[in-house]
Amino acid sequence: MAVKILLIEDEEKIARFTELELVHEGYEVEKAFDGRTGLDRAESGDFDLILLDIMLPELSGLEVLRRLRRTSDVPVIMLTARDAVMDKVSGLDAGADDYITKPFAIEELLARIRVIFKKRNKDERETHILEAKGVVMDLDRHEVTCRGEIIQLNHREYELVKTLMENKNYVMNREQLMNDVCGYNYVGESNVIDVYVRYIRAKIDDHFKMKFITTVRGVGYAIKDE
Ligand code: CA
């Protein structure tokens, strides 16, 4: 499926030229010529990347970006006027991923787009699968497996394993684990984490004859996988 780019730019010549080049590279492009229409289209979630001019009629590019960031983390490259340092700073502050100064060489824009997609793909690979000691946690599918076998964990057991795997090789104390697993406002037995660890050990350590969660005496727990 083609990567979809939304180009929000009121200067029709620049918009048309940029569109032609992007389409030539295999991207699918939709144009919007003012901030309000651009924001509407951007919020639809139909796009993989937004190219956003700053000086726009109806709503400025910065305002579009601010509003968009309330609901979306779609990558945004700002198109700024030459030497408009304030625009660049404000754009990055408001959550832009990158900016490019007009007039720009199309090769430079293409290179920046490639960098953003490369980084996104890497982030996704790194954050959606956790692995330690042969236990694999697929965060998209909400599934934990070991040696191809699915491990059934309840919600809090799952959150506890996730926290320990995200902090692999670090010792987490009971308070940190309570916050992550039960929420900051949790009021209850302080040994609740020990109870969950016992359940998890029955399902993983005992079942697969391994040492998954390590107790660090007087401190807390860790998954050590060095
Ligand atoms: Ca403009």
Side-chain angles (χ1 to χ4, degrees):
M1 238 171 57
V3 173
K4 291 178 88 175
I5 296 179
L6 175 65
L7 171 60
I8 310 175
E9 164 67 82
D10 62 317
E11 284 155 84
E12 293 205 23
K13 261 175 83 177
I14 296 180
R16 206 174 321 129
F17 167 75
T18 309
E19 178 188 31
L20 280 175
E21 294 288 346
L22 291 171
V23 167
H24 183 71
E25 285 295 308
Y27 297 111
E28 207 172 289
V29 179
E30 183 177 318
K31 299 194 298 284
F33 299 106
D34 67 77
R36 199 163 293 282
T37 314
L39 178 60
D40 271 356
R41 292 303 297 131
E43 282 177 333
S44 69
D46 289 345
F47 299 95
D48 303 296
L49 175 86
I50 316 285
L51 298 176
L52 178 60
D53 183 28
I54 289 204
M55 296 288 286
L56 285 170
E58 309 246 354
L59 266 185
S60 79
L62 280 177
E63 195 49 36
V64 170
L65 179 60
R66 271 187 215 109
R67 295 191 193 183
L68 179 64
R69 279 289 176 258
R70 289 177 201 157
T71 56
S72 165
D73 67 346
V74 62
V76 174
I77 299 179
M78 304 293 290
L79 311 176
T80 71
R82 184 189 290 282
D83 296 331
V85 177
M86 270 316 291
D87 285 351
K88 292 171 194 167
V89 173
S90 319
L92 294 174
D93 278 352
D97 294 79
D98 202 354
Y99 59 83
I100 188 162
T101 307
K102 293 198 287 189
F104 49 82
I106 197 71
E107 288 73 22
E108 191 188 353
L109 178 62
L110 294 172
R112 288 179 186 227
I113 291 173
R114 281 194 296 270
V115 166
I116 283 187
F117 285 129
K118 221 172 178 178
K119 189 175 172 300
R120 286 274 158 152
N121 289 337
K122 189 162 164 274
D123 286 351
E124 280 178 8
R125 274 205 308 279
E126 283 174 358
T127 52
H128 289 196
I129 301 277
L130 300 172
E131 198 279 327
K133 306 192 119 171
V135 175
V136 179
M137 196 162 208
D138 186 326
L139 302 180
D140 291 328
R141 302 167 76 171
H142 212 269
E143 193 176 88
V144 184
T145 53
C146 184
R147 296 171 206 156
E149 199 178 314
I150 292 179
I151 303 162
Q152 301 291 348
L153 299 178
N154 73 24
H155 175 66
R156 283 185 172 167
E157 292 162 3
Y158 181 92
E159 290 301 318
L160 181 53
V161 170
K162 180 166 168 253
T163 298
L164 288 171
M165 285 180 86
E166 281 171 339
N167 297 282
K168 196 164 78 171
N169 297 322
Y170 287 95
V171 181
M172 304 284 290
N173 66 39
R174 284 177 181 78
E175 199 175 304
Q176 291 168 320
L177 291 170
M178 289 259 287
N179 287 338
D180 279 7
V181 175
C182 307
Y184 281 91
N185 298 319
Y186 179 80
V187 184
E189 295 295 317
S190 62
N191 69 350
V192 63
I193 293 299
D194 303 311
V195 174
Y196 288 125
V197 167
R198 215 178 308 140
Y199 292 152
I200 294 165
R201 280 181 172 152
K203 292 176 180 179
I204 300 180
D205 300 49
D206 298 352
H207 185 77
F208 294 98
K209 308 273 179 280
M210 65 190 281
K211 195 172 170 60
F212 184 55
I213 298 180
T214 304
T215 305
V216 182
R217 275 178 69 113
V219 189
Y221 295 101
I223 292 175
K224 295 192 173 175
D225 188 22
E226 281 160 309

